[in-house]
Amino acid sequence: MKIGITCYPTYGGSGVIATELGKALAQRGHQIHFISYALPFRLTGFVENVFFHEVEMSSYPLFEFPLYTLALASKMVEVSEFENLDLLHVHYAIPHASSAYLAKNMLKKKKDIKIITTLHGTDITLVGLEPSFLPLVKFSIEESDGVTAVSRFLKEKTNTNYYIDKNIEVIPNFIDTELFKPMEACTFREHIAPDGEKILVHTSNFRQVKRVADTIRILERVIKEVPTKLILVGDGPERSECERLCRQLNLFEHVKFLGKQEGLVEILNSADIFLIPSQSESFGLAALEAMSCGKPVVSSSVGGLPELIKHNETGFIAEIGDVDRMAKYVVDLLTNDKKYEAFSKNSRDRAINHFDKLKVIPMYEEFYKHILSA
Ligand code: GMT
């Protein structure tokens, strides 16, 4: 198949999934054309069958706001025509599904290009619900030839919040379990915790929805019982506030803000437990990455997290903001080696058995075939 993929190219789970999907499909012989305003950050090195088409943005004094949606639609038309694409697979509904709708209609006299939209999270649960976007998001989803969502939770939210009576296929996030795997002792661990302290880790884009401050409040409680460090990976709007909180709680020595990092596998491997106390999380790819490295996860009970994390098997789940309970769960795991080992094994097994890319990529392929033959 010849497939156009559009995603946000910067840090973020939807861009990671879209890029890894494209790369895996290319390895399986499909021709993949990424269409975006910048090279997706996971698209490093040469990959056979993968092409990149940059959406150029012209500036004009009259345009006070960049017209990306329209420029993207034009580029989609151009690439679909010249590369003879079979379908456009867009990740994150806003504005990609709307650009694809425009492109499809501009092309309709020449070809019937199919549009598949994958819903990832805040496109449905947050931004999409804003009155200025809701009618457009609803329309763009309804007009897509096929729609997938990354969890049952997100599928149900889409159907109820947007009154959409359309079949939405649930295809979960996936992971390369050969890449994200347990490693022998990391030197990084000794560097962070030279006195043998335990290590908690959290990775995110530090948006409000991630509740990163809760990880610091969890540490504040855990540290009273077990010497522990916290590694925070990533950057975003809440980082300064989190740094301020660390100073206020006198925890700065115990928390390492690493910012954006490439060596995630090593960082995850150096830790004991992954924390994800989000306000909203449609799947939780970051938690899956940790599980694949054999790390138990302590999370909030929101969105798709309970579909990923098995309470009392691969980790623990608590109410949003219940940092006391989350801290208790962390201490329980850190002070019980046998339990910790079992949870670690269960986490790795669950990643391999349910979310390995070799299991999930064929689901997308099947879905493409189904939509193309409809
Ligand atoms: O929806 C977002 O907030 C952005 C998006 C992203 O690009 O990181 O994240 C979502 O998509 C990921 C990949 O499908 C999911 O694993 C994340 O759970 C989801 N984030 C939220 O729902 C907050």
Side-chain angles (χ1 to χ4, degrees):
M1 284 178 251
K2 291 184 172 187
I3 303 156
I5 293 184
T6 290
C7 63
Y8 282 106
T10 48
Y11 283 79
S14 59
V16 171
I17 289 298
T19 313
E20 296 300 339
L21 172 64
K23 281 162 39 179
L25 289 168
Q27 276 169 2
R28 294 163 79 95
H30 302 287
Q31 202 180 89
I32 305 299
H33 294 266
F34 284 97
I35 309 170
S36 188
Y37 62 84
L39 192 70
F41 78 99
R42 282 276 185 107
L43 202 55
T44 49
F46 174 72
V47 186
E48 208 178 320
N49 289 333
V50 169
F51 302 83
F52 172 61
H53 307 266
E54 186 167 328
V55 180
E56 283 152 35
M57 294 296 301
S58 62
S59 63
Y60 188 66
L62 200 60
F63 302 153
E64 204 176 325
F65 304 102
L67 301 178
Y68 181 61
T69 309
L70 305 181
L72 175 61
S74 288
K75 188 56 94 178
M76 283 171 163
V77 169
E78 182 191 309
V79 179
S80 303
E81 239 185 318
F82 293 148
E83 302 293 348
N84 201 16
L85 299 186
D86 298 303
L87 60 92
L88 288 166
H89 185 178
V90 299
H91 293 258
Y92 205 88
I94 308 169
H96 303 147
S98 312
S99 300
Y101 169 79
L102 268 177
K104 181 180 172 82
N105 279 277
M106 286 156 78
L107 283 164
K108 79 173 175 219
K109 288 200 177 122
K110 293 182 184 155
K111 64 186 290 171
D112 177 23
I113 187 142
K114 301 291 182 190
I115 307 293
I116 292 175
T117 299
T118 289
L119 310 172
H120 280 274
T122 49
D123 46 350
I124 293 303
T125 56
L126 210 67
V127 203
L129 289 173
E130 285 176 18
S132 52
F133 287 127
L134 193 143
L136 186 68
V137 172
K138 177 175 162 62
F139 177 80
S140 305
I141 293 172
E142 282 171 339
E143 292 298 317
S144 295
D145 296 293
V147 181
T148 79
V150 297
S151 59
R152 291 194 300 279
F153 156 82
L154 195 60
K155 171 185 167 139
E156 280 153 27
K157 270 277 167 250
T158 309
N159 287 142
T160 50
N161 286 356
Y162 297 82
Y163 304 101
I164 287 175
D165 183 23
K166 185 180 181 89
N167 181 47
I168 297 177
E169 189 82 2
V170 175
I171 304 185
N173 283 181
F174 57 85
I175 189 85
D176 182 344
T177 58
E178 281 305 305
L179 182 65
F180 284 83
K181 63 179 178 193
M183 279 164 57
E184 288 305 305
C186 303
T187 48
F188 185 63
R189 183 175 181 111
E190 290 149 31
H191 174 69
I192 296 283
D195 298 322
E197 297 96 328
K198 299 289 186 186
I199 300 180
L200 310 178
V201 65
H202 167 83
T203 66
S204 76
N205 47 19
F206 280 65
R207 281 178 302 158
Q208 234 179 5
V209 75
K210 301 289 176 182
R211 292 185 69 100
V212 186
D214 281 3
T215 67
I216 297 162
R217 296 205 166 87
I218 293 169
L219 176 77
E220 185 195 9
R221 286 153 175 80
V222 170
I223 218 164
K224 289 179 184 148
E225 303 195 35
V226 185
T228 305
K229 301 273 183 178
L230 170 64
I231 307 177
L232 294 175
V233 185
D235 215 328
E238 292 294 302
R239 178 167 168 182
S240 303
E241 183 53 27
C242 289
E243 294 195 12
R244 194 198 55 74
L245 181 65
C246 283
R247 281 195 205 92
Q248 186 197 319
L249 298 177
N250 232 340
L251 285 173
F252 217 76
E253 286 298 302
H254 305 276
V255 184
K256 295 273 173 260
F257 287 85
L258 298 186
K260 290 177 184 170
Q261 293 285 331
E262 295 280 324
L264 209 49
V265 179
E266 188 173 6
I267 296 170
L268 290 172
N269 266 286
S270 70
D272 296 294
I273 292 175
F274 187 86
L275 301 176
I276 179 165
S278 307
Q279 179 91 34
S280 165
E281 201 67 65
S282 65
F283 182 89
L285 178 61
L288 175 58
E289 289 172 341
M291 287 168 68
S292 189
C293 293
K295 303 301 166 182
V297 175
V298 174
S299 84
S300 53
S301 57
V302 298
L305 287 171
E307 294 172 46
L308 171 65
I309 299 151
K310 289 282 148 215
H311 183 71
N312 211 12
E313 268 178 45
T314 68
F316 288 112
I317 292 172
E319 290 293 307
I320 303 172
D322 192 347
V323 289
D324 285 330
R325 185 166 289 271
M326 289 183 203
K328 268 192 196 127
Y329 287 144
V330 168
V331 171
D332 182 20
L333 275 174
L334 293 182
T335 53
N336 187 337
D337 289 349
K338 220 167 150 194
K339 194 176 209 172
Y340 181 87
E341 285 312 318
F343 276 45
S344 166
K345 184 177 179 310
N346 294 343
S347 298
R348 171 81 181 150
D349 288 350
R350 185 157 172 76
I352 292 174
N353 295 334
H354 297 273
F355 305 107
D356 191 291
K357 72 172 191 176
L358 298 174
K359 288 205 158 65
V360 178
I361 302 293
M363 293 185 194
Y364 278 111
E365 266 177 322
E366 282 311 307
F367 191 63
Y368 292 167
K369 282 185 205 151
H370 167 68
I371 295 300
L372 285 173
S373 64

